[in-house]
């Protein structure tokens, strides 16, 4: 019993010593004058971590307004509050902001003061998910690299709002109220370096036009898309990940070689109305076709190369690269046809 008490006291002493030493080191590094200034300028409603002086945590505080932001702040966390307005006043001194998280507030377009965002010349990441926006806010800072606007009420994209955002690599508009009419031929003009575009969970019936040419990931799940236009993907030759789950695609809505695209490595067509597997490219690695109306699978027909030719090339030849195939939720009865395994020799998983 005595040994346990001594052990506990020793452990408590060591923990307190380490904590005291850490605080002392931070205090010494900052200096007395700097430390006093550091703590005094921190908004009372927020938390300023001494070990991360460029960050300001004001999340989950029940705030209705944004407090004055100190000049040293790069990373600003304001999520999970009751903020309705975004005005210039709190940001007068915050000229070095890189990151603002305003998710889960009550911000409307009318609550955003004109020009407040575009004046943030160094802002890279802007999170405005789960608010009350009805259109994409404008104007935006040209420095932006990521813009997240998911789960708002956006039905309109102002003309030219993206035209100067050449640094933007990710645009997330999923779960809004976008119709086909909101996406014009020049809507995404200027997004020359965009890599990920997410327009899932909207009300689209057509594939959006004029997707930026450098797009790698295109997410269109949970819309009402029925048709893939002929040669649609020739305009986005780098697309690698394509998600079209939960749409209304049928065999007639897909051109003969609609998905026979060498750049696509991951193709997701789950929960559509397909009765057969569309032609695919030999480079495809992951194929999701679950919960369609497919009744049978013929490996010889869907193989992207001739099985006889594949035998001539040998195991290390130009064989199909498919590694994952999902077919559950269809009308296919096991076992897996042997010609599927003969064609797709690199298959690691088949769900049927």
């Amino acid at each position: 019993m005595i040994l346990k008490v001594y052990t506990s006291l020793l452990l408590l002493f060591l923990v307190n010593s380490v904590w005291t030493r850490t605080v002392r080191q931070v205090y010494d590094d900052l200096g007395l004058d700097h430390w006093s200034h550091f703590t005094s300028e921190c908004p009372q409603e927020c938390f300023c971590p001494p070990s991360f002086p460029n960050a300001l945590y004001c999340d989950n505080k029940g705030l209705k307004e944004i407090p004055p932001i100190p000049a040293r702040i790069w990373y600003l966390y304001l999520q999970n509050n009751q903020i309705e307005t975004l005005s210039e006043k709190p940001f007068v001194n915050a000229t070095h902001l890189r990151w603002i998280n305003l998710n889960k507030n009550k911000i409307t377009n009318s609550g955003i003061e004109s020009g407040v965002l575009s004046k943030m010349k160094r802002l890279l990441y802007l999170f405005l998910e789960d608010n009350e926006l009805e259109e994409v806010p404008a104007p935006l800072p040209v420095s932006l690299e990521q813009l997240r606007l998911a789960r708002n009420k956006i039905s309109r994209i102002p003309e030219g709002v993206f035209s100067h955002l050449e640094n933007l690599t990710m645009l997330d508009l999923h779960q809004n109220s976008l119709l086909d009419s909101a996406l014009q031929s020049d809507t995404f003009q200027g997004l020359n370096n965009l890599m990920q575009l997410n327009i899932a969970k909207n009300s689209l019936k057509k594939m959006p036009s004029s997707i930026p040419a450098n797009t790698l990931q295109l997410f269109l799940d949970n819309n009402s898309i029925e048709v893939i236009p002929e040669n649609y993907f020739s305009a986005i030759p780098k697309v690698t990940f394509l998600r079209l789950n939960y749409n209304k695609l049928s065999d007639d809505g897909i051109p003969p070689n609609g998905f026979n695209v060498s750049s696509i490595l991951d193709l997701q067509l789950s929960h559509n109305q397909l009765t057969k597997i569309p032609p695919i490219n030999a480079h495809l690695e992951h194929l999701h076709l679950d919960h369609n109306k497919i009744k049978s699978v013929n490996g010889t027909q869907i193989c992207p190369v001739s099985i006889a030719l594949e035998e001539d090339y040998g195991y290390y030849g130009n064989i199909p690269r498919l590694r994952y195939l999902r077919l559950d939720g269809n009308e296919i009865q096991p076992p897996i046809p042997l010609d599927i395994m003969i064609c797709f020799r690199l298959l690691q998983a088949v769900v049927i």
Side-chain angles (χ1 to χ4, degrees):
M1 181 65 181
I2 294 175
L3 180 59
K4 289 183 178 179
V5 172
Y6 281 141
T7 303
S8 299
L9 288 173
L10 178 60
L11 181 60
L12 183 61
F13 173 77
L14 290 174
V15 170
N16 285 337
S17 298
V18 171
W19 182 86
T20 303
R21 190 181 307 115
T22 303
V23 172
R24 226 175 249 153
Q25 285 175 347
V26 173
Y27 186 91
D28 291 341
D29 290 343
L30 289 174
L32 183 60
D33 294 337
H34 191 102
W35 179 268
S36 176
H37 176 68
F38 176 82
T39 54
S40 64
E41 69 173 1
C42 182
Q44 186 176 0
E45 311 94 324
C46 308
F47 172 60
C48 298
S51 58
F52 195 12
N54 295 121
L56 181 61
Y57 290 87
C58 307
D59 51 309
N60 298 285
K61 302 294 185 181
L63 299 179
K64 293 186 177 181
E65 296 181 350
I66 300 174
I69 310 303
R72 70 171 189 277
I73 298 303
W74 287 22
Y75 308 97
L76 178 58
Y77 299 88
L78 288 160
Q79 67 270 27
N80 292 300
N81 282 293
Q82 304 293 318
I83 298 169
E84 297 180 358
T85 60
L86 191 57
S87 61
E88 184 177 346
K89 186 177 179 181
F91 301 101
V92 170
N93 297 318
T95 57
H96 296 278
L97 282 173
R98 290 342 191 241
W99 172 303
I100 299 180
N101 189 333
L102 278 160
N103 291 346
K104 294 186 178 180
N105 278 283
K106 296 183 177 181
I107 298 172
T108 61
N109 288 95
S110 60
I112 301 177
E113 185 177 335
S114 178
V116 61
L117 292 172
S118 60
K119 292 177 182 177
M120 299 179 183
K121 303 297 185 181
R122 303 185 183 185
L123 192 65
L124 302 177
Y125 301 89
L126 177 58
F127 299 168
L128 278 166
E129 299 179 344
D130 296 283
N131 276 278
E132 304 291 332
L133 299 174
E134 295 183 350
E135 64 179 53
V136 175
L140 292 163
V142 297
S143 54
L144 270 189
E145 293 182 3
Q146 287 193 17
L147 177 60
R148 298 174 183 255
L149 299 170
R151 294 178 298 278
N152 277 274
K153 301 175 181 178
I154 295 173
S155 60
R156 182 174 176 270
I157 301 177
E159 184 178 356
V161 66
F162 302 128
S163 60
H164 300 295
L165 302 188
E166 294 187 359
N167 296 312
L168 200 71
T169 60
M170 197 272 271
L171 174 59
D172 190 347
L173 288 163
H174 89 270
Q175 200 166 332
N176 276 284
S177 303
L178 292 170
L179 299 171
D180 295 318
S181 57
L183 304 180
Q184 301 298 317
S185 59
D186 59 350
T187 294
F188 302 112
Q189 185 175 348
L191 299 179
N192 299 328
N193 290 297
L194 194 72
M195 291 189 289
Q196 183 186 110
L197 177 59
N198 191 342
I199 326 178
K201 293 188 177 181
N202 277 279
S203 300
L204 304 181
K205 293 183 178 180
K206 301 177 181 178
M207 294 291 285
S209 59
S210 301
I211 299 295
N214 285 319
T215 303
L216 298 176
Q217 301 177 348
L218 179 59
F219 303 147
L220 291 163
D221 314 78
N222 293 89
N223 280 286
S224 298
I225 297 171
E226 299 179 355
V227 176
I228 306 295
E230 189 82 32
N231 300 319
Y232 180 84
F233 299 105
S234 61
I236 41 176
K238 297 181 181 180
V239 64
T240 304
F241 299 92
L242 178 61
R243 291 197 334 219
L244 280 159
N245 303 320
Y246 291 95
N247 276 283
K248 296 181 179 180
L249 289 172
S250 63
D251 301 328
D252 294 336
I254 301 175
N257 285 296
F259 295 119
N260 187 0
V261 181
S262 61
S263 65
I264 299 178
L265 303 182
D266 190 299
L267 176 60
Q268 300 189 20
L269 297 169
S270 305
H271 293 271
N272 277 280
Q273 300 171 12
L274 302 175
T275 64
K276 59 184 179 182
I277 298 177
I280 59 175
N281 193 271
H283 291 89
L284 188 67
E285 296 183 1
H286 296 85
L287 178 59
H288 298 246
L289 285 165
D290 55 286
H291 298 90
N292 277 275
K293 299 179 180 180
I294 301 170
K295 295 183 178 180
S296 62
V297 181
N298 187 317
T300 303
Q301 291 180 354
I302 69 171
C303 193
V305 299
S306 167
I307 292 180
L309 185 63
E310 188 178 337
E311 292 288 344
D312 293 340
Y313 275 115
Y315 186 82
Y316 295 104
N318 188 27
I319 62 175
R321 301 178 187 177
L322 194 67
R323 289 171 168 80
Y324 180 88
L325 176 61
R326 184 171 178 183
L327 292 165
D328 57 304
N330 284 284
E331 301 175 29
I332 304 169
Q333 298 297 321
I336 301 167
L338 180 60
D339 52 4
I340 290 285
M341 309 309 296
I342 293 175
C343 173
F344 302 107
R345 301 185 189 182
L346 301 180
L347 264 177
Q348 297 175 354
V350 180
V351 184
I352 193 169

